[in-house]
Amino acid sequence: QKHLQVLTLANLTTPCGTYLDRDKLMGRHNKWSSTSLLHQINQPRPPENMWIQWYLACRLFGSIREQGKLYEPLGTWDVTPQKLRTQWPLYYDSRNNTYYCFNKTTKDQLAHCESDIDVHIIESITQVPSASAPATIYYNEINVGQKTGSIANDIDLFWRTYYSKMEEFDQQVLHL
């Protein structure tokens, strides 16, 4: 849905990649949802009869009855917050148990979910530690994505393992 700035399934899910964002599912914008950094399509809200098709399409990916739980959860976040194609209202660094948000309102709302947390207000995504993962509030609980190491390292390891099992002739053709 261009009105919601959704181009991929990741634009439609919570940071943990397990649930469909309930507001985007219902065709609404929400301050706790991600926003795309790739594009800004200015499209008015489609008529209500179009939302039935949207809702049916979303059911292809997840169960609407189980809080929008995806049939097949997405994987871990493989890039730093600065390289994501979306921006989240909140980020979490598990190394120091710290949250990062962009405004005081978000910080105050976090206090309602958990009382003993460390929250820093930031002005720019560049202030978020690279080991942080996106986070949001979902059904009055903090929802945090899982972070992995660099995907480049994983791909490199995979490729080198694959290459080592190739026939010698094929290795010479690729001459790595």
Side-chain angles (χ1 to χ4, degrees):
Q1 275 289 5
K2 294 176 186 173
H3 168 71
L4 296 173
Q5 307 294 325
V6 171
L7 292 179
T8 68
L9 185 57
N11 297 133
L12 187 58
T13 65
T14 59
C16 69
T18 303
Y19 300 97
L20 294 169
D21 181 308
R22 69 172 176 246
D23 287 295
K24 287 185 179 179
L25 180 66
M26 301 307 294
R28 300 183 301 246
H29 294 280
N30 182 312
K31 64 182 173 188
W32 291 107
S33 300
S34 66
T35 54
S36 176
L37 298 176
L38 287 180
H39 52 80
Q40 285 298 320
I41 300 168
N42 188 6
Q43 179 183 14
R45 182 179 171 84
E48 290 306 313
N49 64 336
M50 297 300 293
W51 289 105
I52 294 169
Q53 298 301 317
W54 170 250
Y55 187 74
L56 292 173
C58 289
R59 288 181 58 193
L60 295 171
F61 304 109
S63 170
I64 306 306
R65 292 189 182 133
E66 296 177 34
Q67 297 182 343
K69 189 168 185 175
L70 292 177
Y71 298 128
E72 185 67 37
L74 302 180
T76 55
W77 293 98
D78 294 325
V79 297
T80 65
Q82 296 79 9
K83 292 184 180 179
L84 289 174
R85 298 178 306 198
T86 56
Q87 183 169 305
W88 292 87
L90 186 63
Y91 294 88
Y92 175 69
D93 188 348
S94 61
R95 298 172 307 164
N96 58 10
N97 198 28
T98 303
Y99 291 90
Y100 299 86
C101 64
F102 293 97
N103 59 57
K104 186 177 180 331
T105 304
T106 302
K107 181 178 181 175
D108 293 343
Q109 288 177 328
L110 281 172
H112 293 298
C113 295
E114 283 187 38
S115 58
D116 189 30
I117 59 174
D118 188 16
V119 182
H120 295 272
I121 297 176
I122 56 172
E123 293 179 13
S124 165
I125 192 69
T126 59
Q127 295 174 284
V128 176
S130 60
S132 300
T136 192
I137 303 295
Y138 191 69
Y139 284 100
N140 296 319
E141 292 182 5
I142 298 174
N143 181 284
V144 179
Q146 297 299 309
K147 185 79 173 156
T148 62
S150 167
I151 191 168
N153 292 340
D154 294 342
I155 291 171
D156 185 57
L157 177 62
F158 171 80
W159 173 248
R160 291 191 184 284
T161 303
Y162 177 77
Y163 177 80
S164 69
K165 294 178 182 175
M166 294 174 95
E167 301 265 339
E168 184 179 345
F169 175 78
D170 294 330
Q171 287 180 351
Q172 289 174 354
V173 169
L174 293 173
H175 57 82
L176 295 178

